[in-house]
Amino acid sequence: MDKKNPRPRLAVWKFASCDGCQLSLLDCEDELLLLADALEIAYFAEASSTLAEGPYDLSLVEGSITTAHDAERIREVRRQSKFLVTIGACATAGGIQALRNFADVNDYLAVVYASPQYIETLATSTPIAAHVPVDFELRGCPINKVQLLEVISAFLAGRKPAIPTYSVCIECKRRGNLCVMVQGTPCLGPVTHAGCGALCPGCRRGCYGCYGPMETPDTAMLARQWSAMGVAPRDIRRAFHTFNAWAPAFREEGEAHDD
Ligand code: SF4
Ligand code: SF4
Ligand code: SF4
């Protein structure tokens, strides 16, 4: 912290991502002014044209590492940051773009880009923690703004963030939802990290796992239950290989259900 400026300095960084998690910070609206009082928003290219140099007390990092340049840039961000927190499925699990990790990235390049010869990219999309030490990972695609505020407050206060480690099922039961699984709809809620308030089961839809794996998820047990419900192996694999495909628990369970 700068002695002349007692406010801690916040930086927000973007790597390969859709910007949705950064927008969750802007979506704080009422709380944003309080945040701006409590800390100096020193670097936030999405929201400001004034970009102050480091060092920073807290860096929020969105996005995965997909280029050699970004692999170097994240090391520089780490060097300049006292605390580094990753936000969202891209930053914590490689994001949807990690689907390339199961295939040949050149096949995707040829399909997506008219002139793929101009694209310089790594063969993989990897989470930030695969490259530098990370102080806290906040899951979600996108993240929950209330959880984000809790994480920022905790780091400002020098305490551990109070983010639950249990599954969406707990939130679902608290809402009094009728479980969609008993009606024959597959749901990833039992292995998915809480944070959304069981949004999808509240609309009578199964959870797609956008908050990534909860702590100690029993994915094999859930996959067995889905099989018993008649879900084909390729659909089980697809369910685990979506938003958080490169999170180890989801990656391994998906790979166990190859055709
Ligand atoms: S986690 Fe989802 S919302 Fe956040 S940046 Fe990645 S794709 Fe966008
Ligand atoms: S609907 Fe899904 S999240 Fe809700 S209790 Fe059933 S399995 Fe869990
Ligand atoms: S997919 Fe699952 S984790 Fe994501 S909002 Fe729906 S219920 Fe919540």
Side-chain angles (χ1 to χ4, degrees):
M1 201 181 304
D2 184 342
K3 284 183 184 146
K4 292 180 203 156
N5 181 359
R7 290 184 302 163
R9 308 185 79 221
L10 175 76
V12 184
W13 306 94
K14 171 187 163 63
F15 289 81
S17 59
C18 80
D19 291 21
C21 288
Q22 290 182 82
L23 292 177
S24 296
L25 183 54
L26 294 175
D27 192 35
C28 289
E29 295 177 349
D30 295 344
E31 300 90 347
L32 209 52
L33 291 177
L34 292 173
L35 265 182
D37 282 344
L39 42 73
E40 177 193 349
I41 301 176
Y43 189 104
F44 189 3
E46 176 94 3
S48 171
S49 55
T50 306
L51 304 175
E53 291 188 356
Y56 310 100
D57 293 289
L58 174 61
S59 275
L60 301 177
V61 179
E62 175 198 83
S64 65
I65 301 301
T66 59
T67 66
H69 173 255
D70 279 353
E72 178 52 40
R73 190 161 64 96
I74 190 59
R75 287 194 283 275
E76 182 55 30
V77 168
R78 178 68 266 190
R79 275 192 286 274
Q80 294 194 30
S81 309
K82 183 175 175 192
F83 294 112
L84 189 154
V85 170
T86 49
I87 55 172
C90 296
T92 61
I96 288 177
Q97 57 272 28
L99 291 174
R100 68 164 65 171
N101 302 4
F102 301 96
D104 183 340
V105 71
N106 293 314
D107 292 343
Y108 285 124
L109 284 179
V111 170
V112 174
Y113 296 100
S115 301
Q117 67 271 26
Y118 296 114
I119 305 294
E120 284 184 17
T121 187
L122 297 172
T124 56
S125 169
T126 42
I128 300 300
H131 298 265
V132 295
V134 169
D135 296 297
F136 190 82
E137 293 186 311
L138 184 63
R139 298 183 184 280
C141 179
I143 51 170
N144 173 311
K145 73 173 191 179
V146 177
Q147 290 194 337
L148 176 62
L149 287 170
E150 161 57 18
V151 169
I152 294 173
S153 305
F155 277 93
L156 288 177
R159 62 175 172 80
K160 188 178 169 203
I163 302 295
T165 55
Y166 50 69
S167 74
V168 171
C169 283
I170 303 293
E171 297 181 303
C172 196
K173 290 299 171 198
R174 283 195 184 132
R175 282 184 62 163
N177 292 339
L178 181 62
C179 179
V180 299
M181 290 269 278
V182 299
Q183 299 167 310
T185 301
C187 179
L188 282 179
V191 296
T192 298
H193 199 282
C196 66
L199 193 60
C200 299
C203 301
R204 296 184 178 270
R205 297 178 60 172
C207 170
Y208 297 94
C210 69
Y211 270 68
M214 63 174 290
E215 196 172 76
T216 62
D218 193 345
T219 54
M221 175 72 85
L222 184 65
R224 274 199 295 280
Q225 182 60 30
W226 280 32
S227 289
M229 292 164 65
V231 181
R234 67 181 314 210
D235 293 329
I236 296 176
R237 186 183 70 234
R238 274 188 184 160
F240 283 106
H241 287 181
T242 312
F243 310 94
N244 291 273
W246 210 241
F250 283 10
R251 178 174 82 215
E252 287 158 20
E253 194 57 47
E255 285 174 330
H257 300 274
D258 280 340
D259 289 332

